[in-house]
Amino acid sequence: MATPLQYQVAVIGGGAAGIFTAINVARLQPEWKVVVIEKTGKLLSKVKVSGGGRCNVTHACFDKKLFPLFYPRGASLIKKTAHHFFTTDTIQWFQERGVELKTEPDGRMFPVSDTSQTIIDVLLHEASRYQVEFRLHATVEDVSKENNQFLIRLGNGHFVEATHCCVASGGMLQERSLHWIKTMGHTLVPPAPSLFTFNAPSNSLIKLMGVSVPQVRVRIQGSKFEETGPLLITHWGFSGPAVLRLSAWGARWLQEKNYQFTIHINWLEGEGWNSANLSAHFDTQRNLQPTKQLSTSGLFQLPKRLWAHFLSEAEIDETCRFATLSARQKNKLVKLLTDQEIAIAGKTTFKEEFVTAGGIDCSQIDPVRLESKLVPGLFFAGEVLDVDGITGGFNFQHAWSSGYLAAMGMADSPNH
């Protein structure tokens, strides 16, 4: 065996959680040698593409009791971590290093520069400042612990030996990639995709790709899952915050259904319409403006192309007036507008925000130190844990919180 490279801390994973862990433990223990092991040739690749290349750093929610409600899985861990490193701490951490964040109307927070490179640059600058080492193109094949030291075998035949090991390897796409974690006694919650878009290839709505509605209600038939928010029609189906949040909350249920299910959309949720009051509204319009054409009525704040599509689907031509609208046409239009049924067949990865549900069972982790309850000196940070949030900066906040606490836990460890 080649002579192992010696470190006090080895962090597995060069993403947001891993590098944040490494920076902070190196800052707290400047005499320690800290290394980040990354299987690819790129660091912070998810930070780079997040938020359309702007990096959705965190979310402007400052209520520690409310914050865990944005996590479909791992909320109990978030309740604990929020009390030690919260959104306010993230904002301050970046601010102290010259990066100001701004808040958008929906609560998402971005660097004022509007580029993720700002976040990457400050993280890599801090890593350099505290002499964090990086080993790229280094796949971890196995990790074992002997004589209070972790021995990490890399795919290139090299070995790393460390007193502390932090696993921050990101979403667990395949359980076998963390087989050595199971060998150490940890339970892996099986992976399931989260934050994806819905495919509806046979629906005529996809001809309207690019059309969006700011407030709709989307419900998954046969389930408890329902979300309200912006929806975007794409060339393959549906995206936007309402759909992405649904995919997060329903991740396991939808996986069991093999992504074959039916959704119901109320396109007029934002205007307060349901089938009953909308039907009555059409009857009122028949009396108030009987000669008015539906196509130019301006009744709703829907995009014109979408309104024209619904009229066509309800077999209502452009010249139809309220007085000549038949009961059958009205009922069909009301159904389309307030309770449209759409068959979903498959999903598409929302690449910028792709998240995996599943990972290390949080009950086996100390919620404040982020240290394994089973293997002293073994820590975890980020998405490798069975924690995932909805879209909007919550997954990055978990990366910063867990990374910071893991760093604190290692720096304060009696096993120096």
Side-chain angles (χ1 to χ4, degrees):
M1 183 180 86
T3 304
L5 299 162
Q6 304 280 341
Y7 296 91
Q8 274 75 35
V9 173
V11 178
I12 299 172
I19 290 182
F20 203 67
T21 302
I23 289 168
N24 283 291
V25 75
R27 177 179 60 82
L28 292 164
Q29 292 285 1
E31 301 301 314
W32 286 8
K33 287 183 68 180
V34 178
V35 65
V36 173
I37 301 167
E38 169 57 39
K39 65 180 178 182
T40 72
K42 292 182 179 179
L43 298 169
L44 300 165
S45 55
K46 208 169 193 178
V47 171
K48 181 75 173 172
V49 299
S50 155
R54 297 191 298 147
C55 187
N56 186 182
V57 177
T58 187
H59 197 93
C61 172
F62 305 112
D63 185 334
K64 291 178 181 177
K65 290 183 179 178
L66 188 62
F67 205 75
L69 302 179
F70 295 100
Y71 292 82
R73 285 151 292 273
S76 58
L77 183 75
I78 298 297
K79 281 179 186 175
K80 299 282 180 33
T81 61
H83 284 282
H84 299 276
F85 195 88
F86 194 42
T87 50
T88 46
D89 301 297
T90 297
I91 294 164
Q92 184 181 345
W93 194 94
F94 282 101
Q95 196 172 47
E96 286 172 352
R97 289 155 181 83
V99 177
E100 295 289 337
L101 302 181
K102 63 177 180 178
T103 305
E104 303 214 329
D106 60 3
R108 293 181 301 162
M109 298 192 74
F110 296 92
V112 293
S113 64
D114 266 336
T115 172
S116 57
Q117 196 61 45
T118 301
I119 303 300
I120 292 171
D121 289 346
V122 75
L123 291 172
L124 294 183
H125 177 268
E126 289 293 293
S128 174
R129 177 183 173 189
Y130 295 111
Q131 299 179 310
V132 173
E133 293 182 34
F134 293 100
R135 296 192 69 82
L136 304 181
H137 302 288
T139 303
V140 172
E141 297 287 348
D142 191 39
V143 180
S144 57
K145 189 180 184 188
E146 300 169 17
N147 303 320
N148 285 327
Q149 292 287 306
F150 291 93
L151 187 64
I152 303 167
R153 178 165 61 87
L154 305 179
N156 57 13
H158 292 137
F159 289 83
V160 167
E161 194 170 82
T163 311
H164 308 86
C165 178
C166 179
V167 184
S169 51
M172 180 187 65
L173 297 177
Q174 296 174 325
E175 286 186 66
R176 65 174 177 270
S177 63
L178 291 175
H179 63 91
W180 49 271
I181 291 281
K182 295 174 81 170
T183 304
M184 289 182 170
H186 275 280
T187 303
L188 294 178
V189 180
S194 182
L195 295 184
F196 49 83
T197 60
F198 297 169
N199 293 358
S202 60
N203 195 282
S204 56
L205 273 169
I206 61 176
K207 294 183 295 186
L208 303 180
M209 59 179 282
V211 168
S212 64
V213 179
Q215 188 83 336
V216 307
R217 179 167 51 84
V218 187
R219 175 172 61 87
I220 298 177
Q221 184 173 294
S223 81
K224 63 182 180 182
F225 304 115
E226 183 178 295
E227 281 291 332
T228 300
L231 182 136
L232 171 69
I233 300 171
T234 70
H235 65 275
W236 63 82
F238 304 99
S239 185
V243 167
L244 294 173
R245 289 198 293 263
L246 265 183
S247 77
W249 288 108
R252 296 215 172 273
W253 191 90
L254 295 171
Q255 186 185 48
E256 289 170 8
K257 297 292 181 184
N258 198 28
Y259 309 104
Q260 309 291 316
F261 56 99
T262 299
I263 60 172
H264 292 251
I265 302 178
N266 181 350
W267 296 94
L268 301 178
E269 178 72 17
E271 299 180 52
W273 296 110
N274 57 41
S275 59
N277 64 14
L278 184 59
S279 180
H281 186 59
F282 278 122
D283 293 338
T284 301
Q285 294 306 308
R286 180 194 296 272
N287 295 324
L288 291 178
Q289 43 184 1
T291 60
K292 184 72 173 177
Q293 291 183 354
L294 270 77
S295 60
T296 58
S297 63
L299 271 185
F300 312 112
Q301 295 168 18
L302 291 173
K304 289 180 180 177
R305 288 171 63 203
L306 187 59
W307 176 237
H309 171 82
F310 287 136
L311 291 177
S312 174
E313 288 290 299
E315 300 173 52
I316 299 169
D317 66 38
E318 290 185 2
T319 62
C320 180
R321 303 173 192 278
F322 281 105
T324 58
L325 182 68
S326 71
R328 183 183 63 81
Q329 289 172 318
K330 182 190 78 168
N331 292 339
K332 190 167 185 181
L333 184 58
V334 168
K335 174 76 172 172
L336 285 167
L337 290 169
T338 62
D339 189 26
Q340 185 179 18
E341 281 189 39
I342 296 173
I344 301 300
K347 62 177 174 55
T348 296
T349 300
F350 193 67
K351 294 181 176 59
E352 291 177 1
E353 304 286 356
F354 180 70
V355 169
T356 307
I360 309 297
D361 186 340
C362 293
S363 68
Q364 299 172 338
I365 311 297
D366 182 299
V368 176
R369 293 172 54 81
L370 276 294
E371 184 176 17
S372 166
K373 294 177 180 177
L374 310 176
V375 184
L378 181 64
F379 293 75
F380 298 93
E383 203 187 325
V384 72
L385 291 161
D386 185 24
V387 176
D388 62 286
I390 63 172
T391 183
F394 298 100
N395 290 297
F396 272 132
Q397 182 55 46
H398 167 56
W400 314 132
S401 296
S402 58
Y404 189 87
L405 291 180
M408 291 284 288
M410 288 186 282
D412 293 341
S413 171
N415 190 27
H416 287 178

